[in-house]
Amino acid sequence: MTDDEPLDEIDLKILSELQKDGRIRNNELAERVGISPPPCQRRMKSLRRRGFIRAIRATLDERRLGYEVTSFVLIQLKSQARTAVQAFEASIAALPHVQQCSQISGDADFMLKCLAPNVEAMHRQLLQFAAMPEVQTIRTYPVLGLSKDAPLPLPEAPHPRPAD
């Protein structure tokens, strides 16, 4: 398979099964998608090489690990100059309690997903953000509950064209 070859129905089934259980053994995965283990393993390697599978990791329970507060934080920078954006991103990359950092459009420049063991720790995090010279405004939205955490929706496999 080449890097630009489109996903077929088997590839999509493999990706779907991996989203359900990233630890599935190759033999079981092959059986679920309807192929033998050797081509299943080759396809998995191809999907990784082509970048469709970025990582396989465990999803941990934040609360069981002591993180009682999840919040989304919107950050507006003083400037959108490349140097300011890069400096902010470098500062955020060094903070382990920031789980995600997305550059966005609209009223804010970045949206962060942050974890904290309690409200006081969340407040200290916000003070860290406020101390960054690039930051102009901060808006925080503590999460009250998670209503949905779904796997990535996969596209449909292309349908073969009928022969003329």
Side-chain angles (χ1 to χ4, degrees):
M1 285 193 160
T2 63
D3 283 355
D4 58 351
E5 189 170 332
L7 296 173
D8 65 15
E9 187 175 342
I10 299 296
D11 292 330
L12 293 168
K13 285 181 182 178
I14 289 171
L15 294 173
S16 178
E17 291 299 326
L18 288 174
Q19 283 193 112
K20 294 175 193 170
D21 180 5
R23 295 182 61 210
I24 189 171
R25 294 182 183 273
N26 185 56
N27 290 348
E28 186 177 345
L29 178 60
E31 185 177 317
R32 286 188 191 178
V33 302
I35 60 176
S36 65
C40 186
Q41 188 68 39
R42 282 193 299 274
R43 283 176 176 265
M44 287 267 302
K45 287 180 183 177
S46 172
L47 289 167
R48 281 192 198 109
R49 179 180 46 75
R50 293 162 51 204
F52 289 102
I53 300 172
R54 292 190 319 206
I56 296 176
R57 59 184 176 193
T59 302
L60 307 179
D61 187 311
E62 295 97 344
R63 288 186 178 267
R64 296 271 308 160
L65 292 167
Y67 296 103
E68 294 293 325
V69 179
T70 300
S71 61
F72 289 95
V73 180
L74 296 179
I75 304 280
Q76 184 179 24
L77 301 182
K78 293 176 183 173
S79 165
Q80 286 74 40
R82 179 179 295 238
T83 55
V85 170
Q86 289 174 337
F88 176 76
E89 289 175 330
S91 297
I92 291 300
L95 300 175
H97 60 270
V98 177
Q99 295 297 290
Q100 295 176 346
C101 176
S102 300
Q103 191 170 13
I104 61 174
S105 66
D107 294 339
D109 298 306
F110 288 90
M111 182 169 64
L112 314 178
K113 179 183 177 189
C114 302
L115 299 176
N118 52 48
V119 173
E120 293 82 20
M122 182 185 78
H123 184 243
R124 287 192 299 274
Q125 292 170 2
L126 296 175
L127 293 173
Q128 278 185 301
F129 301 146
M132 294 177 184
E134 304 83 21
V135 172
Q136 179 172 323
T137 60
I138 301 169
R139 289 190 304 276
T140 306
Y141 301 90
V143 174
L144 301 177
L146 182 63
S147 300
K148 183 176 180 179
D149 187 18
L152 183 67
L154 298 174
E156 290 188 29
H159 300 288
R161 294 187 345 179
D164 291 331

mmCIF file of all heavy atoms in Angstrom, residues 55-99:
data_model
loop_
_atom_site.group_PDB
_atom_site.id
_atom_site.type_symbol
_atom_site.label_atom_id
_atom_site.label_comp_id
_atom_site.label_asym_id
_atom_site.label_seq_id
_atom_site.Cartn_x
_atom_site.Cartn_y
_atom_site.Cartn_z
ATOM 1 N N ALA A 55 -1.125 6.665 17.858
ATOM 2 C CA ALA A 55 -0.642 6.033 19.086
ATOM 3 C C ALA A 55 -1.710 5.078 19.587
ATOM 4 O O ALA A 55 -2.894 5.248 19.299
ATOM 5 C CB ALA A 55 -0.346 7.087 20.150
ATOM 6 N N ILE A 56 -1.284 4.105 20.325
ATOM 7 C CA ILE A 56 -2.207 3.221 21.030
ATOM 8 C C ILE A 56 -1.834 3.342 22.496
ATOM 9 O O ILE A 56 -0.697 3.056 22.881
ATOM 10 C CB ILE A 56 -2.098 1.763 20.545
ATOM 11 C CG1 ILE A 56 -2.512 1.688 19.070
ATOM 12 C CG2 ILE A 56 -2.945 0.843 21.407
ATOM 13 C CD1 ILE A 56 -2.363 0.329 18.442
ATOM 14 N N ARG A 57 -2.807 3.822 23.298
ATOM 15 C CA ARG A 57 -2.518 4.033 24.710
ATOM 16 C C ARG A 57 -3.766 3.800 25.533
ATOM 17 O O ARG A 57 -4.871 3.784 25.015
ATOM 18 C CB ARG A 57 -1.975 5.439 24.928
ATOM 19 C CG ARG A 57 -2.907 6.533 24.485
ATOM 20 C CD ARG A 57 -2.273 7.882 24.647
ATOM 21 N NE ARG A 57 -3.166 8.919 24.122
ATOM 22 C CZ ARG A 57 -2.807 10.134 23.907
ATOM 23 N NH1 ARG A 57 -1.578 10.511 24.159
ATOM 24 N NH2 ARG A 57 -3.661 11.018 23.447
ATOM 25 N N ALA A 58 -3.552 3.666 26.828
ATOM 26 C CA ALA A 58 -4.667 3.453 27.747
ATOM 27 C C ALA A 58 -5.347 4.776 28.054
ATOM 28 O O ALA A 58 -4.700 5.819 28.122
ATOM 29 C CB ALA A 58 -4.157 2.830 29.047
ATOM 30 N N THR A 59 -6.652 4.737 28.223
ATOM 31 C CA THR A 59 -7.408 5.901 28.679
ATOM 32 C C THR A 59 -7.572 5.751 30.185
ATOM 33 O O THR A 59 -8.181 4.792 30.652
ATOM 34 C CB THR A 59 -8.788 5.962 27.995
ATOM 35 O OG1 THR A 59 -8.584 6.010 26.579
ATOM 36 C CG2 THR A 59 -9.565 7.184 28.442
ATOM 37 N N LEU A 60 -6.990 6.674 30.919
ATOM 38 C CA LEU A 60 -6.982 6.577 32.374
ATOM 39 C C LEU A 60 -8.135 7.364 32.978
ATOM 40 O O LEU A 60 -8.598 8.355 32.398
ATOM 41 C CB LEU A 60 -5.649 7.093 32.918
ATOM 42 C CG LEU A 60 -4.393 6.456 32.309
ATOM 43 C CD1 LEU A 60 -3.148 7.072 32.928
ATOM 44 C CD2 LEU A 60 -4.398 4.949 32.477
ATOM 45 N N ASP A 61 -8.574 6.965 34.161
ATOM 46 C CA ASP A 61 -9.643 7.655 34.870
ATOM 47 C C ASP A 61 -9.030 8.759 35.717
ATOM 48 O O ASP A 61 -8.326 8.491 36.698
ATOM 49 C CB ASP A 61 -10.405 6.657 35.742
ATOM 50 C CG ASP A 61 -11.630 7.273 36.378
ATOM 51 O OD1 ASP A 61 -11.512 8.374 36.974
ATOM 52 O OD2 ASP A 61 -12.701 6.651 36.313
ATOM 53 N N GLU A 62 -9.296 10.005 35.327
ATOM 54 C CA GLU A 62 -8.700 11.159 36.016
ATOM 55 C C GLU A 62 -9.054 11.185 37.496
ATOM 56 O O GLU A 62 -8.200 11.435 38.346
ATOM 57 C CB GLU A 62 -9.156 12.487 35.372
ATOM 58 C CG GLU A 62 -8.692 12.686 33.958
ATOM 59 C CD GLU A 62 -9.746 12.305 32.930
ATOM 60 O OE1 GLU A 62 -10.738 11.612 33.270
ATOM 61 O OE2 GLU A 62 -9.569 12.691 31.752
ATOM 62 N N ARG A 63 -10.315 10.931 37.823
ATOM 63 C CA ARG A 63 -10.758 11.004 39.221
ATOM 64 C C ARG A 63 -10.086 9.945 40.080
ATOM 65 O O ARG A 63 -9.701 10.224 41.211
ATOM 66 C CB ARG A 63 -12.278 10.889 39.314
ATOM 67 C CG ARG A 63 -12.970 12.146 38.818
ATOM 68 C CD ARG A 63 -14.473 12.048 39.072
ATOM 69 N NE ARG A 63 -15.130 13.259 38.657
ATOM 70 C CZ ARG A 63 -15.370 14.282 39.456
ATOM 71 N NH1 ARG A 63 -14.999 14.252 40.714
ATOM 72 N NH2 ARG A 63 -15.976 15.354 38.992
ATOM 73 N N ARG A 64 -9.956 8.737 39.563
ATOM 74 C CA ARG A 64 -9.293 7.663 40.322
ATOM 75 C C ARG A 64 -7.834 8.008 40.597
ATOM 76 O O ARG A 64 -7.250 7.539 41.565
ATOM 77 C CB ARG A 64 -9.382 6.334 39.575
ATOM 78 C CG ARG A 64 -10.767 5.796 39.377
ATOM 79 C CD ARG A 64 -11.274 4.928 40.454
ATOM 80 N NE ARG A 64 -10.332 3.856 40.741
ATOM 81 C CZ ARG A 64 -10.329 3.194 41.862
ATOM 82 N NH1 ARG A 64 -11.211 3.462 42.788
ATOM 83 N NH2 ARG A 64 -9.457 2.238 42.084
ATOM 84 N N LEU A 65 -7.265 8.845 39.745
ATOM 85 C CA LEU A 65 -5.869 9.257 39.913
ATOM 86 C C LEU A 65 -5.731 10.569 40.674
ATOM 87 O O LEU A 65 -4.643 11.120 40.772
ATOM 88 C CB LEU A 65 -5.185 9.354 38.545
ATOM 89 C CG LEU A 65 -4.998 7.999 37.868
ATOM 90 C CD1 LEU A 65 -4.614 8.168 36.413
ATOM 91 C CD2 LEU A 65 -3.964 7.174 38.605
ATOM 92 N N GLY A 66 -6.847 11.072 41.225
ATOM 93 C CA GLY A 66 -6.786 12.240 42.082
ATOM 94 C C GLY A 66 -7.063 13.575 41.422
ATOM 95 O O GLY A 66 -6.916 14.618 42.057
ATOM 96 N N TYR A 67 -7.462 13.575 40.162
ATOM 97 C CA TYR A 67 -7.777 14.830 39.476
ATOM 98 C C TYR A 67 -9.290 15.038 39.525
ATOM 99 O O TYR A 67 -10.028 14.510 38.708
ATOM 100 C CB TYR A 67 -7.279 14.816 38.033
ATOM 101 C CG TYR A 67 -5.784 14.726 37.937
ATOM 102 C CD1 TYR A 67 -5.157 13.527 37.606
ATOM 103 C CD2 TYR A 67 -4.996 15.833 38.217
ATOM 104 C CE1 TYR A 67 -3.784 13.440 37.536
ATOM 105 C CE2 TYR A 67 -3.614 15.750 38.148
ATOM 106 C CZ TYR A 67 -3.019 14.548 37.812
ATOM 107 O OH TYR A 67 -1.659 14.465 37.752
ATOM 108 N N GLU A 68 -9.743 15.808 40.490
ATOM 109 C CA GLU A 68 -11.172 16.022 40.699
ATOM 110 C C GLU A 68 -11.744 17.122 39.807
ATOM 111 O O GLU A 68 -12.942 17.184 39.610
ATOM 112 C CB GLU A 68 -11.444 16.371 42.172
ATOM 113 C CG GLU A 68 -11.143 15.223 43.127
ATOM 114 C CD GLU A 68 -12.099 14.046 42.957
ATOM 115 O OE1 GLU A 68 -13.288 14.278 42.659
ATOM 116 O OE2 GLU A 68 -11.645 12.902 43.092
ATOM 117 N N VAL A 69 -10.895 18.021 39.320
ATOM 118 C CA VAL A 69 -11.377 19.171 38.552
ATOM 119 C C VAL A 69 -10.804 19.125 37.135
ATOM 120 O O VAL A 69 -9.585 19.091 36.952
ATOM 121 C CB VAL A 69 -10.979 20.507 39.228
ATOM 122 C CG1 VAL A 69 -11.472 21.691 38.405
ATOM 123 C CG2 VAL A 69 -11.512 20.576 40.653
ATOM 124 N N THR A 70 -11.698 19.111 36.167
ATOM 125 C CA THR A 70 -11.330 19.273 34.762
ATOM 126 C C THR A 70 -11.910 20.610 34.328
ATOM 127 O O THR A 70 -13.048 20.936 34.671
ATOM 128 C CB THR A 70 -11.930 18.149 33.890
ATOM 129 O OG1 THR A 70 -11.439 16.889 34.356
ATOM 130 C CG2 THR A 70 -11.558 18.335 32.428
ATOM 131 N N SER A 71 -11.134 21.383 33.609
ATOM 132 C CA SER A 71 -11.640 22.669 33.131
ATOM 133 C C SER A 71 -11.137 22.939 31.726
ATOM 134 O O SER A 71 -10.091 22.448 31.316
ATOM 135 C CB SER A 71 -11.230 23.802 34.069
ATOM 136 O OG SER A 71 -9.825 23.900 34.148
ATOM 137 N N PHE A 72 -11.940 23.717 31.010
ATOM 138 C CA PHE A 72 -11.523 24.238 29.722
ATOM 139 C C PHE A 72 -11.211 25.709 29.931
ATOM 140 O O PHE A 72 -11.977 26.433 30.578
ATOM 141 C CB PHE A 72 -12.610 24.043 28.659
ATOM 142 C CG PHE A 72 -12.759 22.604 28.261
ATOM 143 C CD1 PHE A 72 -13.704 21.800 28.857
ATOM 144 C CD2 PHE A 72 -11.917 22.052 27.313
ATOM 145 C CE1 PHE A 72 -13.826 20.462 28.510
ATOM 146 C CE2 PHE A 72 -12.025 20.718 26.960
ATOM 147 C CZ PHE A 72 -12.985 19.921 27.566
ATOM 148 N N VAL A 73 -10.073 26.127 29.432
ATOM 149 C CA VAL A 73 -9.595 27.485 29.648
ATOM 150 C C VAL A 73 -9.385 28.133 28.286
ATOM 151 O O VAL A 73 -8.662 27.585 27.446
ATOM 152 C CB VAL A 73 -8.281 27.490 30.463
ATOM 153 C CG1 VAL A 73 -7.784 28.909 30.674
ATOM 154 C CG2 VAL A 73 -8.465 26.760 31.793
ATOM 155 N N LEU A 74 -10.034 29.268 28.086
ATOM 156 C CA LEU A 74 -9.844 30.027 26.857
ATOM 157 C C LEU A 74 -8.836 31.135 27.135
ATOM 158 O O LEU A 74 -8.983 31.881 28.108
ATOM 159 C CB LEU A 74 -11.159 30.626 26.374
ATOM 160 C CG LEU A 74 -12.235 29.619 25.977
ATOM 161 C CD1 LEU A 74 -13.497 30.344 25.542
ATOM 162 C CD2 LEU A 74 -11.753 28.683 24.892
ATOM 163 N N ILE A 75 -7.827 31.224 26.295
ATOM 164 C CA ILE A 75 -6.748 32.203 26.451
ATOM 165 C C ILE A 75 -6.733 33.121 25.235
ATOM 166 O O ILE A 75 -6.706 32.643 24.096
ATOM 167 C CB ILE A 75 -5.370 31.511 26.560
ATOM 168 C CG1 ILE A 75 -5.336 30.508 27.702
ATOM 169 C CG2 ILE A 75 -4.247 32.532 26.622
ATOM 170 C CD1 ILE A 75 -5.132 31.060 29.070
ATOM 171 N N GLN A 76 -6.737 34.406 25.495
ATOM 172 C CA GLN A 76 -6.533 35.383 24.432
ATOM 173 C C GLN A 76 -5.157 35.996 24.651
ATOM 174 O O GLN A 76 -4.816 36.413 25.772
ATOM 175 C CB GLN A 76 -7.593 36.474 24.487
ATOM 176 C CG GLN A 76 -7.471 37.465 23.349
ATOM 177 C CD GLN A 76 -8.557 38.541 23.414
ATOM 178 O OE1 GLN A 76 -9.100 38.820 24.474
ATOM 179 N NE2 GLN A 76 -8.852 39.126 22.269
ATOM 180 N N LEU A 77 -4.342 36.016 23.611
ATOM 181 C CA LEU A 77 -3.003 36.582 23.698
ATOM 182 C C LEU A 77 -3.037 38.079 23.426
ATOM 183 O O LEU A 77 -3.954 38.586 22.780
ATOM 184 C CB LEU A 77 -2.063 35.889 22.709
ATOM 185 C CG LEU A 77 -1.894 34.379 22.857
ATOM 186 C CD1 LEU A 77 -0.888 33.862 21.824
ATOM 187 C CD2 LEU A 77 -1.484 33.983 24.266
ATOM 188 N N LYS A 78 -2.006 38.779 23.892
ATOM 189 C CA LYS A 78 -1.870 40.212 23.631
ATOM 190 C C LYS A 78 -1.564 40.464 22.163
ATOM 191 O O LYS A 78 -1.900 41.512 21.615
ATOM 192 C CB LYS A 78 -0.765 40.803 24.506
ATOM 193 C CG LYS A 78 -1.110 40.797 25.978
ATOM 194 C CD LYS A 78 0.061 41.294 26.809
ATOM 195 C CE LYS A 78 -0.277 41.201 28.297
ATOM 196 N NZ LYS A 78 0.895 41.509 29.121
ATOM 197 N N SER A 79 -0.900 39.492 21.535
ATOM 198 C CA SER A 79 -0.503 39.623 20.138
ATOM 199 C C SER A 79 -0.576 38.252 19.482
ATOM 200 O O SER A 79 -0.323 37.231 20.128
ATOM 201 C CB SER A 79 0.933 40.156 20.062
ATOM 202 O OG SER A 79 1.454 39.976 18.762
ATOM 203 N N GLN A 80 -0.916 38.250 18.206
ATOM 204 C CA GLN A 80 -0.909 36.988 17.459
ATOM 205 C C GLN A 80 0.358 36.855 16.614
ATOM 206 O O GLN A 80 0.421 36.016 15.711
ATOM 207 C CB GLN A 80 -2.153 36.880 16.564
ATOM 208 C CG GLN A 80 -3.435 36.582 17.322
ATOM 209 C CD GLN A 80 -3.943 37.786 18.094
ATOM 210 O OE1 GLN A 80 -3.890 38.915 17.615
ATOM 211 N NE2 GLN A 80 -4.425 37.549 19.298
ATOM 212 N N ALA A 81 1.351 37.661 16.921
ATOM 213 C CA ALA A 81 2.628 37.559 16.210
ATOM 214 C C ALA A 81 3.214 36.162 16.444
ATOM 215 O O ALA A 81 3.050 35.571 17.511
ATOM 216 C CB ALA A 81 3.597 38.631 16.692
ATOM 217 N N ARG A 82 3.888 35.664 15.447
ATOM 218 C CA ARG A 82 4.446 34.310 15.506
ATOM 219 C C ARG A 82 5.297 34.093 16.759
ATOM 220 O O ARG A 82 5.188 33.055 17.410
ATOM 221 C CB ARG A 82 5.269 34.029 14.254
ATOM 222 C CG ARG A 82 5.909 32.651 14.252
ATOM 223 C CD ARG A 82 6.678 32.420 12.981
ATOM 224 N NE ARG A 82 5.737 32.416 11.882
ATOM 225 C CZ ARG A 82 5.580 31.392 11.043
ATOM 226 N NH1 ARG A 82 6.309 30.341 11.173
ATOM 227 N NH2 ARG A 82 4.709 31.463 10.071
ATOM 228 N N THR A 83 6.113 35.059 17.126
ATOM 229 C CA THR A 83 6.978 34.897 18.302
ATOM 230 C C THR A 83 6.155 34.783 19.587
ATOM 231 O O THR A 83 6.487 33.980 20.461
ATOM 232 C CB THR A 83 7.986 36.064 18.422
ATOM 233 O OG1 THR A 83 7.260 37.297 18.437
ATOM 234 C CG2 THR A 83 8.976 36.047 17.271
ATOM 235 N N ALA A 84 5.075 35.557 19.694
ATOM 236 C CA ALA A 84 4.216 35.485 20.887
ATOM 237 C C ALA A 84 3.503 34.139 20.969
ATOM 238 O O ALA A 84 3.443 33.521 22.038
ATOM 239 C CB ALA A 84 3.207 36.621 20.886
ATOM 240 N N VAL A 85 2.990 33.687 19.839
ATOM 241 C CA VAL A 85 2.297 32.399 19.794
ATOM 242 C C VAL A 85 3.265 31.274 20.145
ATOM 243 O O VAL A 85 2.960 30.393 20.965
ATOM 244 C CB VAL A 85 1.647 32.177 18.410
ATOM 245 C CG1 VAL A 85 1.144 30.747 18.254
ATOM 246 C CG2 VAL A 85 0.519 33.177 18.189
ATOM 247 N N GLN A 86 4.453 31.288 19.564
ATOM 248 C CA GLN A 86 5.443 30.242 19.843
ATOM 249 C C GLN A 86 5.893 30.262 21.295
ATOM 250 O O GLN A 86 6.062 29.203 21.904
ATOM 251 C CB GLN A 86 6.640 30.385 18.902
ATOM 252 C CG GLN A 86 6.301 30.009 17.479
ATOM 253 C CD GLN A 86 7.434 30.293 16.502
ATOM 254 O OE1 GLN A 86 8.301 31.123 16.757
ATOM 255 N NE2 GLN A 86 7.419 29.618 15.368
ATOM 256 N N ALA A 87 6.070 31.444 21.873
ATOM 257 C CA ALA A 87 6.467 31.545 23.281
ATOM 258 C C ALA A 87 5.376 30.980 24.180
ATOM 259 O O ALA A 87 5.659 30.240 25.132
ATOM 260 C CB ALA A 87 6.770 32.998 23.641
ATOM 261 N N PHE A 88 4.121 31.308 23.885
ATOM 262 C CA PHE A 88 3.010 30.780 24.668
ATOM 263 C C PHE A 88 2.945 29.257 24.548
ATOM 264 O O PHE A 88 2.819 28.546 25.553
ATOM 265 C CB PHE A 88 1.685 31.406 24.223
ATOM 266 C CG PHE A 88 0.501 30.818 24.925
ATOM 267 C CD1 PHE A 88 0.209 31.169 26.233
ATOM 268 C CD2 PHE A 88 -0.319 29.893 24.278
ATOM 269 C CE1 PHE A 88 -0.879 30.604 26.890
ATOM 270 C CE2 PHE A 88 -1.397 29.336 24.927
ATOM 271 C CZ PHE A 88 -1.679 29.688 26.238
ATOM 272 N N GLU A 89 3.037 28.742 23.339
ATOM 273 C CA GLU A 89 2.984 27.287 23.135
ATOM 274 C C GLU A 89 4.117 26.575 23.862
ATOM 275 O O GLU A 89 3.910 25.501 24.442
ATOM 276 C CB GLU A 89 3.013 26.964 21.639
ATOM 277 C CG GLU A 89 1.733 27.329 20.933
ATOM 278 C CD GLU A 89 1.778 27.132 19.423
ATOM 279 O OE1 GLU A 89 2.866 27.267 18.822
ATOM 280 O OE2 GLU A 89 0.711 26.846 18.849
ATOM 281 N N ALA A 90 5.299 27.164 23.875
ATOM 282 C CA ALA A 90 6.429 26.562 24.593
ATOM 283 C C ALA A 90 6.162 26.545 26.096
ATOM 284 O O ALA A 90 6.471 25.555 26.775
ATOM 285 C CB ALA A 90 7.718 27.327 24.288
ATOM 286 N N SER A 91 5.590 27.619 26.622
ATOM 287 C CA SER A 91 5.268 27.662 28.050
ATOM 288 C C SER A 91 4.234 26.602 28.411
ATOM 289 O O SER A 91 4.347 25.913 29.418
ATOM 290 C CB SER A 91 4.734 29.040 28.441
ATOM 291 O OG SER A 91 5.715 30.026 28.244
ATOM 292 N N ILE A 92 3.214 26.473 27.583
ATOM 293 C CA ILE A 92 2.142 25.503 27.837
ATOM 294 C C ILE A 92 2.666 24.071 27.732
ATOM 295 O O ILE A 92 2.280 23.199 28.507
ATOM 296 C CB ILE A 92 0.962 25.732 26.859
ATOM 297 C CG1 ILE A 92 0.257 27.040 27.188
ATOM 298 C CG2 ILE A 92 -0.019 24.567 26.863
ATOM 299 C CD1 ILE A 92 -0.328 27.123 28.582
ATOM 300 N N ALA A 93 3.553 23.822 26.785
ATOM 301 C CA ALA A 93 4.098 22.471 26.597
ATOM 302 C C ALA A 93 4.804 21.963 27.849
ATOM 303 O O ALA A 93 4.854 20.756 28.090
ATOM 304 C CB ALA A 93 5.050 22.453 25.404
ATOM 305 N N ALA A 94 5.314 22.878 28.665
ATOM 306 C CA ALA A 94 6.048 22.495 29.878
ATOM 307 C C ALA A 94 5.130 22.225 31.067
ATOM 308 O O ALA A 94 5.611 21.818 32.124
ATOM 309 C CB ALA A 94 7.049 23.597 30.234
ATOM 310 N N LEU A 95 3.827 22.427 30.919
ATOM 311 C CA LEU A 95 2.900 22.265 32.043
ATOM 312 C C LEU A 95 2.175 20.925 31.951
ATOM 313 O O LEU A 95 1.317 20.739 31.080
ATOM 314 C CB LEU A 95 1.889 23.414 32.065
ATOM 315 C CG LEU A 95 2.478 24.819 32.203
ATOM 316 C CD1 LEU A 95 1.374 25.866 32.094
ATOM 317 C CD2 LEU A 95 3.238 24.946 33.506
ATOM 318 N N PRO A 96 2.474 19.985 32.842
ATOM 319 C CA PRO A 96 1.867 18.650 32.739
ATOM 320 C C PRO A 96 0.362 18.623 33.001
ATOM 321 O O PRO A 96 -0.322 17.707 32.534
ATOM 322 C CB PRO A 96 2.614 17.835 33.796
ATOM 323 C CG PRO A 96 3.189 18.829 34.736
ATOM 324 C CD PRO A 96 3.425 20.085 33.945
ATOM 325 N N HIS A 97 -0.187 19.600 33.715
ATOM 326 C CA HIS A 97 -1.631 19.588 33.987
ATOM 327 C C HIS A 97 -2.455 20.053 32.784
ATOM 328 O O HIS A 97 -3.673 19.933 32.792
ATOM 329 C CB HIS A 97 -1.947 20.446 35.214
ATOM 330 C CG HIS A 97 -1.549 21.879 35.069
ATOM 331 N ND1 HIS A 97 -0.303 22.335 35.435
ATOM 332 C CD2 HIS A 97 -2.218 22.947 34.582
ATOM 333 C CE1 HIS A 97 -0.238 23.634 35.191
ATOM 334 N NE2 HIS A 97 -1.374 24.028 34.673
ATOM 335 N N VAL A 98 -1.805 20.577 31.764
ATOM 336 C CA VAL A 98 -2.507 20.945 30.535
ATOM 337 C C VAL A 98 -2.510 19.709 29.637
ATOM 338 O O VAL A 98 -1.478 19.286 29.133
ATOM 339 C CB VAL A 98 -1.841 22.143 29.817
ATOM 340 C CG1 VAL A 98 -2.561 22.434 28.506
ATOM 341 C CG2 VAL A 98 -1.835 23.367 30.720
ATOM 342 N N GLN A 99 -3.692 19.129 29.464
ATOM 343 C CA GLN A 99 -3.822 17.903 28.688
ATOM 344 C C GLN A 99 -3.877 18.155 27.195
ATOM 345 O O GLN A 99 -3.382 17.362 26.414
ATOM 346 C CB GLN A 99 -5.099 17.151 29.108
ATOM 347 C CG GLN A 99 -5.055 16.675 30.528
ATOM 348 C CD GLN A 99 -3.939 15.675 30.718
ATOM 349 O OE1 GLN A 99 -4.021 14.564 30.211
ATOM 350 N NE2 GLN A 99 -2.901 16.053 31.419
#
